[in-house]
């Protein structure tokens, strides 16, 4: 057996002592009560965390709604001032072209052509970005599963071809 009072080492320090063994393990019903109390405390903590997350989400959505409204107001301001700036730039360009010897018709036509070209490019880009909102990848996956296939809606009398024929 080990000595209850071990001798100090060469530097005069006592060696670390082992903790005394516990008297007795708790009885089974006490262990069940402890486990139940710990489970109840864990559940209450999870419910509190859920409530805190819900409050955070509600506050975050309120902030986003407010920010979206303010952003739309500033977008309106930007559109108005951007359009007026473009009109003033075109007026100055027309005046410069007319002063450099171009006719009024030619200078107005050139500025109109420039504006139409920019508008055409913007419309083309808008159509490309709206095309991305069509959820094409999701539709393809749903069609592979046989859900929401648009071809089935147009011709309900023809049977769906087997998967080997589709590939």
């Amino acid at each position: 057996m080990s000595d209850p009072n071990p001798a100090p080492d060469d530097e005069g320090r006592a060696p670390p002592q082992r903790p005394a063994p516990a008297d007795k393990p708790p009885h089974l019903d006490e262990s069940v009560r402890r486990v139940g109390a710990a489970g109840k405390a864990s559940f209450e903590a999870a419910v509190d965390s859920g409530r805190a997350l819900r409050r955070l989400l509600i506050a975050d959505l309120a902030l986003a709604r407010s920010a979206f409204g303010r952003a739309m107001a500033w977008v309106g301001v930007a559109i108005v001032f951007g359009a007026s700036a473009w009109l003033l730039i075109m007026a100055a360009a027309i005046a410069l072209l007319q002063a450099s010897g171009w006719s009024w018709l030619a200078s107005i036509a050139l500025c109109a052509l420039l504006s139409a070209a920019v508008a055409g490019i913007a419309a083309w880009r808008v159509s490309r970005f709206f095309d991305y909102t069509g959820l094409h990848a999701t539709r393809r996956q749903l069609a592979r599963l046989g859900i929401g296939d648009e071809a089935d809606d147009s011709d309900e009398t023809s049977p769906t071809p087997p998967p080997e024929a589709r590939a």
Side-chain angles (χ1 to χ4, degrees), residues 90 94 97 102-117:
M90 288 297 107
I94 290 170
L97 288 173
W102 288 47
S103 69
W104 279 102
L105 180 62
S107 58
I108 290 174
L110 179 67
C111 289
L113 185 64
L114 176 65
S115 293

Side-chain angles (χ1 to χ4, degrees), residues 140-147 166:
R140 280 194 304 270
Q141 294 304 318
L142 289 174
R144 284 184 180 176
L145 295 173
I147 301 170
R166 284 189 221 166

